[in-house]
């Protein structure tokens, strides 16, 4: 029996060495979680229970426990390198099956899907139809499309200006945009866009009337009048009083590009009549041309944005994280992947930076949790245990030989 006890010790020490060797081999593996060999003693018992004089029967490996502690997060600067700072696993689809990982070294495949090195596709929550949020109950494969961002026609132009209170009535009448003597001031032109993304110029001309605190504004698009002039009125404190809502509806403009009719309103809320000089304080419009994909960025909440050259950000999805009541119960599939088991518990999927889920750090990777110094100490300990059990086996052999040689 003593031989078996020593043999169990040798096997246990060998298992400890194997676990330590595996940890050391993965010291530079992204997202790797170190393992720990756990042992238990053995006793032979009978139907009458365990005798008070019974000697143990050795040891055995009871578990190789994965240690899901947080690894260091190293900056890489690559937009598709992701790390989870906190709890949770990336949710992946491998040939239709759900797998999970802490390794965020993602890339795109030939079809534009975001995948890990083994080809498993990163899962995200799908955008809402109106683009205001994400469907937290629907997971889709994240796909980066290289199509252009469509243009948006201008519907609202904003001007904020200060007209000079001491302005004179123009010397030339009637108004002619080609004659600067027929108007007092001009907005200088605001670039607007039609439905095909072609730019046009909207210009407002301000003409002082003979009435105190009264002006007329003429609106043109590409040199074509966009409706009759609108009267502007200011209080004796210089505050705009008419139009009351500060908005002027321009007549529809039909572009020569084949685009749809351009219908715009001019918002002059906040404009004033002060001092002696004209001041154009702000210009803005809500249209834009088509855009090319410039970059992909991912927020701490896991929202994946496609950023286009026209300044538009489009949310492609929100990274889905999954957690378990017992992560140590996950089945290691290799290649930095785990799958759920009965002992891991039911997966809980949610959004980053919510509940018990960690944040996403883009341009970073989580390093292996293996502490090389600790593993080298474990190696020495396992080696000593192996040697001690081997020596015990040798001693028992010598005792056996001595008994056999008794004459």
């Amino acid at each position: 029996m003593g031989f078996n006890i020593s043999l169990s010790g040798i096997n246990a020490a060998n298992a400890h060495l194997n676990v330590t060797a595996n940890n050391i081999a993965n010291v530079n593996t992204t997202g790797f979680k170190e393992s720990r060999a756990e042992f238990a003693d053995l006793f032979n018992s009978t139907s009458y229970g365990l005798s008070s004089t019974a000697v143990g029967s050795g040891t055995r490996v009871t578990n190789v426990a994965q240690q899901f502690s947080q690894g260091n997060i190293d900056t890489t600067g690559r937009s598709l390198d992701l790390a989870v700072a906190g709890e949770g696993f990336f949710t992946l689809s491998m040939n239709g099956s759900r797998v999970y990982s802490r390794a965020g070294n993602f890339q795109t495949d030939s079809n534009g899907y975001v995948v890990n090195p083994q080809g498993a596709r990163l899962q995200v929550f799908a955008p809402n139809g109106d683009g205001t949020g994400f469907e937290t109950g629907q997971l889709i494969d994240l796909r980066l499309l290289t199509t252009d961002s469509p243009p948006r026609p201008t519907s609202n132009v904003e001007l904020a200006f200060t007209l000079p209170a001491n302005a004179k009535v123009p010397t030339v009448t009637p108004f002619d945009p080609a004659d600067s003597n027929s108007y007092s001031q001009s907005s200088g032109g605001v670039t607007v866009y039609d439905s095909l993304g072609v730019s046009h110029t909207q210009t407002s001309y301000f003409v002082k009337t003979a009435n105190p605190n009264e002006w007329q504004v003429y609106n043109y698009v590409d040199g074509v009048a966009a409706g009759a002039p609108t009267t502007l009125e200011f209080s004796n404190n210089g505050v705009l009083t008419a139009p009351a809502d500060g908005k002027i509806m321009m007549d529809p403009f039909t572009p020569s590009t084949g685009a749809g009719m351009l219908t715009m309103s001019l918002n002059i809320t906040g404009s004033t009549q002060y001092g002696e000089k004209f001041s154009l304080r702000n210009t803005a419009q809500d249209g834009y041309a088509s855009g090319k994909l410039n970059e992909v960025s991912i927020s701490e909440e896991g929202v994946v944005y496609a950023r286009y050259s026209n300044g538009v950000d489009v949310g492609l999805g929100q990274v889905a994280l999954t957690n378990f009541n017992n992560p140590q119960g996950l089945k290691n599939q290799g290649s930095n992947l785990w799958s759920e088991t009965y002992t891991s518990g039911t997966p809980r999927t949610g959004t980053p930076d919510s509940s018990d889920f960690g944040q996403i750090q883009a341009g970073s990777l989580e390093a292996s949790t293996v502490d090389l110094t600790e593993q080298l100490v474990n190696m020495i300990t396992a080696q000593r245990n192996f040697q001690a059990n081997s020596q015990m086996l040798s001693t028992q052999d010598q005792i056996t030989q001595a008994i056999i040689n008794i004459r």
Side-chain angles (χ1 to χ4, degrees), residues 282-315:
N282 181 55
T283 61
Q285 57 86 39
D286 59 358
Y288 44 79
S290 61
K292 302 290 185 183
L293 180 63
N294 277 349
E295 64 174 343
V296 174
S297 64
I298 303 175
S299 70
E300 291 183 346
E301 293 77 25
V303 178
V304 183
Y305 291 103
R307 300 188 183 277
Y308 292 89
S309 58
N310 57 5
V312 175
D313 291 347
V314 178

Side-chain angles (χ1 to χ4, degrees), residues 109-373:
D109 64 13
S110 58
N111 296 314
Y113 290 102
V114 176
V115 297
N116 74 348
Q118 290 71 44
R121 295 178 177 178
L122 178 64
Q123 300 297 288
V124 296
F125 294 111
N128 289 334
D130 57 7
T132 58
F134 302 92
E135 297 284 354
T136 55
Q138 180 183 2
L139 291 179
I140 61 172
D141 301 333
L142 177 59
R143 190 177 190 185
L144 305 182
L145 299 177
T146 56
T147 56
D148 291 348
S149 168
R152 175 180 176 178
T154 301
S155 61
N156 183 48
V157 179
E158 296 182 10
L159 291 180
F161 52 82
T162 298
L163 295 171
N166 63 345
K168 305 297 183 183
V169 177
T171 57
V172 176
T173 57
F175 166 75
D176 180 0
D179 188 350
S180 60
N181 292 318
S182 66
Y183 57 88
S184 306
Q185 306 293 339
S186 166
S187 65
V190 177
T191 299
V192 296
Y193 299 91
D194 63 25
S195 60
L196 295 179
V198 178
S199 63
H200 304 273
T201 301
Q202 185 277 325
T203 308
S204 297
Y205 299 91
F206 303 97
V207 178
K208 181 70 177 73
T209 70
N211 300 322
N213 301 323
E214 184 181 87
W215 296 71
Q216 284 193 322
V217 57
Y218 295 79
N219 292 305
Y220 279 69
V221 179
D222 287 352
V224 178
T230 301
T231 299
L232 307 181
E233 295 180 0
F234 296 87
S235 70
N236 56 10
N237 292 321
V239 177
L240 181 69
T241 57
D245 61 356
K247 295 181 179 180
I248 301 170
M249 195 67 193
M250 291 182 273
D251 285 356
F253 171 75
T254 303
S256 60
T257 60
M261 190 173 292
L262 192 57
T263 303
M264 300 182 294
S265 66
L266 179 66
N267 189 343
I268 60 171
T269 302
S271 296
T272 56
Q273 178 190 249
Y274 293 141
E276 301 178 351
K277 293 183 179 181
F278 174 77
S279 172
L280 187 61
R281 292 183 276 108
N282 181 55
T283 61
Q285 57 86 39
D286 59 358
Y288 44 79
S290 61
K292 302 290 185 183
L293 180 63
N294 277 349
E295 64 174 343
V296 174
S297 64
I298 303 175
S299 70
E300 291 183 346
E301 293 77 25
V303 178
V304 183
Y305 291 103
R307 300 188 183 277
Y308 292 89
S309 58
N310 57 5
V312 175
D313 291 347
V314 178
L316 303 180
Q318 187 172 19
V319 174
L321 293 183
T322 301
N323 208 354
F324 300 85
N325 290 336
N326 177 28
Q328 287 190 338
L330 292 171
K331 181 180 179 181
N332 196 327
Q333 301 283 1
S335 300
N336 297 324
L337 298 175
W338 288 274
S339 60
E340 66 177 283
T341 65
Y342 178 79
T343 56
S344 69
T346 304
R348 295 177 288 106
T349 302
T351 58
D353 201 22
S354 67
S355 185
D356 60 343
F357 296 106
Q359 294 180 336
I360 297 296
Q361 292 194 15
S364 304
L365 289 174
E366 182 181 8
S368 169
T369 59
V370 175
D371 183 333
L372 190 56
T373 301

Side-chain angles (χ1 to χ4, degrees), residues 73-95:
I73 295 179
D74 300 328
T75 301
T76 66
R78 183 174 172 273
S79 60
L80 286 181
D81 283 344
L82 306 179
V84 179
E87 300 293 324
F89 297 80
F90 293 111
T91 309
L92 306 172
S93 176
M94 175 68 84
N95 299 322

